[in-house]
Amino acid sequence: MGMSPSIQKLEANEKEFRDYLAQLQADLANKSAAESAKLKDKITQFYADNKYTDAKDLVSGMNYDFMHQAEFSLENMQSIIDAISKSVFANGKSPDGAKVSKDGTAAAASSLGPEVGEMANLELYIAGQVFDVLSSVILSFGTSTTINFNTNIQSKPLGYGMQMFTAVAADSYEAQAFFDKEYIHEYLYLYDVRFSAQQAKAEMTQTLIELYEDQLAAFKAREEDLLDQLVKKTLTDAAYATSNAIYDKLIDAVEKKVEQLKIAALTVKS
């Protein structure tokens, strides 16, 4: 559970305030109960639609954040994400609320090869991706005096066969007895990161397709440039014919390669 400084101080010293926070947590958990079911359905649907049958858990969990409106900060969330990332990718201690699957991390390391398989190499990248998604959601709820109950569910590819699923719920409460009519913002994060070797292979194939398609566009632009030079008489007929013939062959070869890769991508999912 993350807390802004004034809330942390009160929580440590006053039982009445601890009871109050426990009630807020129970209230938000009750309001957002449906989001947990929706998140599970989204995960099931994603792997069913893509026909990835080998997905394994990397990390999953649930965390609460309490923030006094005057002290709004994303530091608590960032520290939780950093701790989760270290527990997955650098064998660190799992933070409270997080569950790390050693089977999943072992499968990822084995499938991704020695360069990426050194999972610590991914730690900063993945932590940054997760922070970007969650912080964007939280900031979209607003940080003014009051936040209406709000929820958001996201599915985002992290690359290398990893997919992140998150649900965020937020609400605000006027804490008259403790903060003189100022508000406490409460956030609930549900998160589930999974790895699929089939997805990793599909993503690598898709990256190759995109690179070849970029190359194809460049070759076609080069042919247009050659034609323009021919029209302007800055290129001889012979030079144009031989150069254009080379680019025709390159374009034909790349188009065939793209088609092969697209078939391969479909095969991975079948």
Side-chain angles (χ1 to χ4, degrees):
M1 185 186 300
M3 301 177 190
S4 61
S6 59
I7 291 177
Q8 189 173 38
K9 183 178 179 180
L10 276 172
E11 192 270 343
N13 296 315
E14 296 189 23
K15 180 182 183 303
E16 184 181 358
F17 187 66
R18 288 195 293 273
D19 293 342
Y20 175 66
L21 290 185
Q23 181 57 50
L24 296 189
Q25 184 171 316
D27 180 56
L28 186 58
N30 183 56
K31 283 184 178 180
S32 57
E35 302 310 300
S36 178
K38 289 178 184 177
L39 187 64
K40 290 179 181 177
D41 289 344
K42 193 172 188 70
I43 293 170
T44 300
Q45 192 67 45
F46 173 83
Y47 288 108
D49 288 347
N50 287 284
K51 298 181 181 178
Y52 301 141
T53 59
D54 63 339
K56 290 182 170 59
D57 287 332
L58 284 180
V59 60
S60 59
M62 177 176 68
N63 292 92
Y64 287 89
D65 251 6
F66 291 95
M67 296 189 201
H68 179 199
Q69 68 175 75
E71 299 172 338
F72 180 86
S73 169
L74 295 173
E75 288 183 6
N76 286 334
M77 187 185 74
Q78 185 178 25
S79 65
I80 290 170
I81 291 170
D82 287 344
I84 291 170
S85 183
K86 283 181 171 60
S87 70
V88 176
F89 302 111
N91 295 316
K93 181 181 181 297
S94 300
D96 292 342
K99 178 182 178 182
V100 175
S101 168
K102 297 304 179 184
D103 289 342
T105 54
S110 174
S111 297
L112 295 176
E115 293 83 6
V116 180
E118 184 63 36
M119 299 301 281
N121 292 337
L122 293 174
E123 181 187 332
L124 180 61
Y125 168 74
I126 300 300
Q129 289 284 79
V130 175
F131 180 79
D132 181 56
V133 170
L134 291 183
S135 63
S136 295
V137 171
I138 288 172
L139 293 174
S140 74
F141 293 158
T143 60
S144 59
T145 54
T146 180
I147 301 173
N148 295 324
F149 174 68
N150 217 329
T151 62
N152 181 285
I153 293 179
Q154 297 270 340
S155 171
K156 181 179 178 65
L158 299 177
Y160 306 103
M162 289 176 283
Q163 191 79 15
M164 178 183 70
F165 305 90
T166 64
V168 180
D171 208 348
S172 60
Y173 307 86
E174 190 175 7
Q176 290 187 356
F178 303 101
F179 290 116
D180 190 25
K181 297 184 180 180
E182 292 181 334
Y183 283 81
I184 289 177
H185 298 330
E186 182 184 8
Y187 301 91
L188 167 63
Y189 319 119
L190 298 169
Y191 48 89
D192 195 315
V193 181
R194 301 194 178 191
F195 168 78
S196 162
Q198 293 171 340
Q199 184 175 353
K201 185 176 180 181
E203 287 173 343
M204 285 186 282
T205 301
Q206 185 57 42
T207 297
L208 276 176
I209 291 172
E210 291 170 0
L211 289 172
Y212 273 119
E213 287 180 336
D214 287 345
Q215 189 179 61
L216 195 59
F219 288 163
K220 289 181 178 179
R222 185 62 180 143
E223 282 200 330
E224 290 178 6
D225 183 54
L226 288 171
L227 182 59
D228 185 55
Q229 291 183 56
L230 178 66
V231 171
K232 292 178 179 178
K233 305 296 186 181
T234 58
L235 199 66
T236 66
D237 289 351
Y240 170 78
T242 56
S243 298
N244 199 68
I246 291 171
Y247 278 104
D248 278 344
K249 288 180 181 179
L250 288 171
I251 288 170
D252 182 61
V254 171
E255 286 178 337
K256 288 178 179 176
K257 187 64 177 178
V258 168
E259 189 61 30
Q260 290 172 1
L261 287 169
K262 288 181 176 179
I263 292 171
L266 291 174
T267 302
V268 169
K269 294 184 179 183
S270 63

